[in-house]
Amino acid sequence: MSDWLGNALVSPALMLMAGGFLLAATPRLIHAAWLLVLPVVALLLLWELPTGSHGQIELFGFDLTMLRVDGLSRIWATIFIIGSFLTGLYALHVNDRVQHVASLIYAGAAVGAVLAGDLVTLFVFWEATAISSVFLIWARRTVRAHIIGLRYLILQVISGLLLMVGTIIHYRVTGSTAFGHLGLDVAGGWLIFLAFGIKAAFPLLHNWVQDAYPESTVSGTVVLSIYTTKLAIYALARGFAGTEILITIGAVMTIFPIFFAVIENDLRRVLAYSLNNQLGFMVVGIGIGTPLALNGAAAHAFAHILYKGLLFMSMGAVLYRVGTVKASELGGLYKSMPFTAAFCIVGSMSISAFPLFSGFVTKSMILTAAAEQHHWIAWCALLVASAGVLDHSGIKVPFFSFFAHDAGYRVKEAPFNMLLAMAITAALCIGIGVYPAPLYAILPFDAPYSPYTTTHVVNQLQLLLFAALAFVVLFRSGLYPPEVRGINLDSDWLYRRALPAVVAGSRYGLMGLRDRMAGLVGSALLGARSRLEQAFGGRGVLSRTWTTGVMLLWVTALLAAYLLIYY
């Protein structure tokens, strides 16, 4: 018990989780201070921890390491805790204890997972993130949110089960549960890889992001966008760095969301597709596996949490004031919400990797690493995806929500705490872009990189201006897909439409087969009945009166048969 208590006192993860549980019993008046002070204390504690393994205990025969502090885990834990502070500030006006408690526990579980030094501890925190995060969806308190939350929870639990089974197999073969580089050639490696892939939203496993994130609450969506997928990116970087199949998976992840984001009407779903796109860059970097590529994946995850959080914050503010984030129903909001519009533009320029914004100094590291290792197909895919993200997140989101046609909404600006959270996040996005040295200093590997070279700046500006020109030409010529109400399905068509159709078709087919078999059996029974009636009925052969001679003949025949068989 003393070991557990000591670990709780030094672990920023357990501090956040314990704070979340205590928040459930504290008065509403101190919630604001609790939500803001606790992450600050946790961040200070994280950076006071020396590099190395801490909190080692033995439990049920397993040697568990609850705190492994190194360059890779520290940068992820840092941005997770910063995200907890920003989302707490953003949600200060929310009078919903469930959301505040779930957010703190969720953040603590994510921090615990990145600090875990073994697969058993990772599994515990992995499942904790799933259970705590689903309450942010259910907090919407609608029937639809309840159903979507169940689907979300099922997929997250499946991920945990795969991780558990993979860990058991790995332990039985190697005798170790240490969470280091695993690769796909170790026992249980593919199961663990698939577990990470579900949370990382690999292609065909990604639909839970578009399904769940837009259905969460205003602040819940911001929280969800920070932890689960980036935790999976960390796990891949820790366990599967240099696994080349990740290059192909990541390249596909960067390309396919572009098309669905362009035709999507719900702007929070657009951002969810954009999230898939940006995750692809990180997955490619992990697949390349060089120090520069892994630094790029870590830096891009750090920057992505900030600018994607900022975009979700701005759309959350629109939803809070207007009641919708449908592009077909918005427009002209810059008149009523000018600060929110400005912050949204900062997030859009950051995700589009404009010079002097955070995305520029992080995304380019992955592109440079791909070029250095001669992964030219992946490099081309990343280049196309960089232009595509400008279209759907850099232009579409701010344009259709705050500009375009005037939808006539005259609403109040977002609450002060929302604006303050967006302002701090926007300042971080600009600060990292203007002066990336502090971020580069905490990256896990020694791989010097300078983003502001003349060639890089000119090439990036040419790419962005060309993409912007393409949007203008398509929009002015009427070729850009119109913003209309509707439901767009991608690979979830397989289980939303195809699978129900197959099940229904199979059901009707089996019912038809049953009816035909019943008809055949009925016909056979009627035939048998007719033959029995012919033999044993009142006029049947066996019911007739037989003469003594005939009976004697049958007796003689049977006796002869018996004697023949017996002797």
Side-chain angles (χ1 to χ4, degrees):
M1 178 61 71
S2 60
D3 289 338
W4 281 101
L5 182 59
N7 293 333
L9 292 176
V10 301
S11 172
L14 296 181
M15 176 181 293
L16 288 172
M17 296 182 73
F21 284 112
L22 290 175
L23 186 66
T26 56
R28 177 71 178 89
L29 293 176
I30 66 171
H31 280 192
W34 199 264
L35 288 171
L36 299 181
V37 172
L38 199 61
V40 173
V41 175
L43 184 61
L44 294 175
L45 177 59
L46 172 68
W47 281 91
E48 285 295 322
L49 291 172
T51 299
S53 297
H54 311 279
Q56 295 171 313
I57 61 173
E58 183 177 346
L59 184 67
F60 302 122
F62 294 102
D63 293 324
L64 306 183
T65 302
M66 298 188 64
L67 293 172
R68 186 213 1 233
V69 182
D70 59 14
L72 194 63
S73 61
R74 198 190 296 268
I75 186 173
W76 251 276
T78 297
I79 188 56
F80 280 175
I81 296 173
I82 291 174
S84 178
F85 173 83
L86 293 173
T87 54
L89 177 59
Y90 183 78
L92 280 184
H93 66 285
V94 177
N95 187 17
D96 186 353
R97 194 183 298 263
V98 171
Q99 292 189 62
H100 296 318
V101 171
S103 296
L104 278 177
I105 296 176
Y106 184 24
V111 173
V114 300
L115 294 176
D118 62 274
L119 292 170
V120 176
T121 304
L122 175 68
F123 167 75
V124 172
F125 286 115
W126 195 267
E127 291 294 77
T129 60
I131 296 170
S132 57
S133 60
V134 73
F135 287 96
L136 296 172
I137 303 171
W138 286 339
R140 191 86 179 263
R141 294 178 175 85
T142 64
V143 174
R144 177 177 171 81
H146 177 73
I147 295 172
I148 289 176
L150 286 176
R151 285 202 297 261
Y152 169 88
L153 184 60
I154 288 170
L155 279 173
Q156 300 303 310
V157 170
I158 289 174
S159 172
L161 289 174
L162 290 171
L163 175 58
M164 179 182 67
V165 175
T167 299
I168 292 172
I169 295 173
H170 181 67
Y171 176 73
R172 288 180 64 88
V173 174
T174 65
S176 172
T177 61
F179 182 29
H181 182 76
L182 300 172
L184 296 177
D185 55 345
V186 300
W190 276 102
L191 290 177
I192 298 174
F193 183 77
L194 184 57
F196 294 169
I198 291 175
K199 280 190 183 286
F202 281 0
L204 302 182
L205 302 175
H206 68 280
N207 297 112
W208 61 268
V209 175
Q210 288 75 38
D211 191 34
Y213 284 15
E215 198 59 36
S216 183
T217 62
V218 168
S219 58
T221 299
V222 183
V223 180
L224 288 171
S225 71
I226 293 175
Y227 299 110
T228 297
T229 52
K230 263 64 71 182
L231 169 58
I233 295 297
Y234 165 81
L236 288 170
R238 175 71 70 181
F240 297 94
T243 303
E244 288 197 358
I245 192 175
L246 287 173
I247 300 175
T248 302
I249 293 173
V252 174
M253 289 176 69
T254 62
I255 295 297
F256 83 85
I258 296 173
F259 305 101
F260 294 103
V262 167
I263 64 175
E264 179 57 55
N265 187 41
D266 187 316
L267 294 179
R268 292 209 296 181
R269 282 178 63 88
V270 171
L271 293 177
Y273 276 116
S274 174
L275 188 146
N276 286 120
N277 165 275
Q278 296 298 293
L279 292 173
F281 283 86
M282 305 171 209
V283 172
V284 169
I286 294 169
I288 295 171
T290 62
L292 178 60
L294 292 174
N295 275 356
H300 200 51
F302 193 102
H304 175 262
I305 286 174
L306 293 173
Y307 62 64
K308 185 52 61 69
L310 180 57
L311 289 169
F312 272 118
M313 285 180 188
S314 61
M315 290 301 99
V318 171
L319 180 62
Y320 181 76
R321 287 305 192 198
V322 180
T324 182
V325 284
K326 304 292 185 183
S328 58
E329 301 173 13
L330 295 176
L333 281 175
Y334 76 93
K335 299 176 182 177
S336 300
M337 307 178 72
F339 293 110
T340 302
F343 296 140
C344 182
I345 292 172
V346 171
S348 297
M349 298 186 75
S350 298
I351 195 173
S352 302
F354 270 92
L356 303 181
F357 292 87
S358 57
F360 178 81
V361 301
T362 59
K363 188 184 297 183
S364 57
M365 299 174 73
I366 302 171
L367 283 161
T368 301
E372 288 181 351
Q373 299 302 310
H374 307 294
H375 294 290
W376 296 114
I377 296 177
W379 183 85
C380 291
L382 298 183
L383 201 65
V384 172
S386 297
V389 75
L390 172 66
D391 176 70
H392 59 72
S393 289
I395 297 178
K396 177 174 180 172
V397 171
F399 179 71
F400 285 105
S401 54
F402 296 102
F403 305 97
H405 68 283
D406 191 343
Y409 292 108
R410 297 297 180 265
V411 296
K412 294 181 179 179
E413 181 57 276
F416 176 74
N417 63 289
M418 280 186 165
L419 292 176
L420 184 58
M422 287 188 279
I424 295 174
T425 309
L428 289 172
C429 289
I430 298 173
I432 292 172
V434 172
Y435 186 59
L439 174 60
Y440 288 176
I442 63 173
L443 292 177
F445 302 102
D446 184 15
Y449 176 74
S450 177
Y452 285 105
T453 63
T454 303
T455 301
H456 180 214
V457 172
V458 171
N459 289 343
Q460 184 68 7
L461 285 175
Q462 287 176 336
L463 176 69
L464 295 174
L465 291 175
F466 176 79
L469 178 62
F471 175 85
V472 172
V473 171
L474 291 173
F475 184 77
R476 297 293 295 178
S477 63
L479 297 176
Y480 192 85
E483 303 303 319
V484 295
R485 296 179 63 89
I487 298 176
N488 297 318
L489 301 179
D490 52 83
S491 62
D492 55 343
W493 176 86
L494 295 173
Y495 62 83
R496 291 179 182 269
R497 293 289 187 269
L499 184 60
V502 170
V503 171
S506 301
R507 177 171 173 267
Y508 289 128
L510 291 173
M511 290 174 63
L513 179 61
R514 181 198 64 184
D515 293 340
R516 287 192 294 273
M517 291 296 295
L520 292 174
V521 171
S523 300
L525 291 175
L526 288 175
R529 176 185 174 186
S530 176
R531 287 189 292 273
L532 288 173
E533 285 183 349
Q534 291 176 2
F536 297 100
R539 298 180 180 181
V541 175
L542 298 179
S543 298
R544 297 173 184 171
T545 302
W546 290 5
T547 63
T548 302
V550 173
M551 291 299 296
L552 181 60
L553 178 62
W554 277 108
V555 170
T556 302
L558 291 173
L559 180 60
Y562 171 77
L563 291 173
L564 181 64
I565 295 172
Y566 185 78
Y567 292 104

